[in-house]
Amino acid sequence: MSATPTPGDRAPAGRLERRKRQTRQRLFTAALELFAAQGFDATTYDEIAQRADVARQTAFNYFPRKEDFVRAWVEHRRERLRQLLDETAFQEAPAAEQLAGYLSALAGFNAEERHLRATLAVTLPVSMDMMFGEGPPEVFAASIRLGQRNGEFGTEVDPEVAAEVIFDSYLCALGRWARQDTPASPSLEETLLAKLTVILRGLTP
């Protein structure tokens, strides 16, 4: 007859998953900090692992390529946009206000991580390829379809195409913002909302 396992013999599944999430977050944070301090290309897996206090192989297990840290960064922002859409007050807002809210949120994410701007400029081709490859966040097209149902936008416009136009405009503005170094330049949010105003004129019936 086998002995009954004691509580310390094996960690519960929930605890293991929590440890995995914590390890992944430590690696992600360590990588972004190093990218900001010394650049994307100059940062090695050994440095990331050391800063996160894990083995080098552990870093590879969670992020097999350095570009995967950038991909996680992109997906983190998309998830924050999805969370914004889930807020009841936001769901009840007019479609144009929703689109402005998305762009303001994206601008806010970048402002929060302003210390990464130099790194973003260097890794922009990598992050742009990922964002272009995955296409615009689905919330953009969802808001445009809402606007069409509510009569805010004309129905002759393809919501997916309009979402791409807005998202492409965001990426171009982001690229310029990441490379600018003059404090007098317009904020990213101001630029994005000005561009959205022009785009919305083409959507309004």
Side-chain angles (χ1 to χ4, degrees):
M1 183 175 179
S2 60
T4 302
T6 63
D9 287 342
R10 185 171 57 186
R15 186 184 304 169
L16 290 175
E17 287 303 315
R18 185 167 62 252
R19 287 177 180 171
K20 288 180 181 179
R21 288 195 300 270
Q22 291 171 345
T23 299
R24 181 181 178 84
Q25 183 60 45
R26 286 207 314 274
L27 284 164
F28 177 69
T29 301
L32 291 187
E33 290 174 349
L34 287 167
F35 294 163
Q38 60 193 37
F40 180 80
D41 291 334
T43 300
T44 67
Y45 267 92
D46 285 330
E47 292 171 323
I48 294 172
Q50 182 178 13
R51 193 178 189 94
D53 195 24
V54 301
R56 185 173 188 269
Q57 185 57 49
T58 300
F60 276 111
N61 290 343
Y62 282 88
F63 297 93
R65 300 181 306 161
K66 241 191 336 184
E67 289 81 359
D68 290 331
F69 290 104
V70 181
R71 187 181 300 280
W73 188 30
V74 172
E75 178 52 35
H76 175 65
R77 291 171 175 225
R78 287 175 180 263
E79 178 57 31
R80 290 179 70 177
L81 282 183
R82 286 191 286 267
Q83 291 172 358
L84 180 64
L85 179 62
D86 288 338
E87 296 178 5
T88 302
F90 193 82
Q91 290 177 346
E92 296 174 351
E97 290 184 17
Q98 290 185 3
L99 292 171
Y102 298 142
L103 294 178
S104 292
L106 287 169
F109 300 161
N110 286 287
E112 290 171 10
E113 299 171 340
R114 196 175 185 86
H115 62 291
L116 290 172
R117 186 158 72 178
T119 298
L120 177 61
V122 174
T123 62
L124 207 56
V126 176
S127 55
M128 287 295 190
D129 284 346
M130 292 177 185
M131 288 188 278
F132 273 124
E134 295 179 0
E138 66 277 8
V139 292
F140 281 43
S143 288
I144 293 169
R145 284 192 289 269
L146 171 66
Q148 290 177 328
R149 290 195 300 271
N150 293 342
E152 292 180 66
F153 304 147
T155 56
E156 70 281 1
V157 176
D158 186 329
E160 303 297 333
V161 174
E164 286 184 8
V165 171
I166 295 172
F167 189 57
D168 291 354
S169 176
Y170 159 70
L171 293 179
C172 290
L174 177 61
R176 295 191 186 97
W177 176 86
R179 293 180 173 87
Q180 75 181 20
D181 54 9
T182 50
S185 301
S187 69
L188 179 58
E189 181 177 18
E190 290 172 336
T191 301
L192 292 175
L193 294 181
K195 289 176 176 287
L196 178 63
T197 297
V198 175
I199 294 171
L200 290 179
R201 288 174 184 164
L203 291 173
T204 304

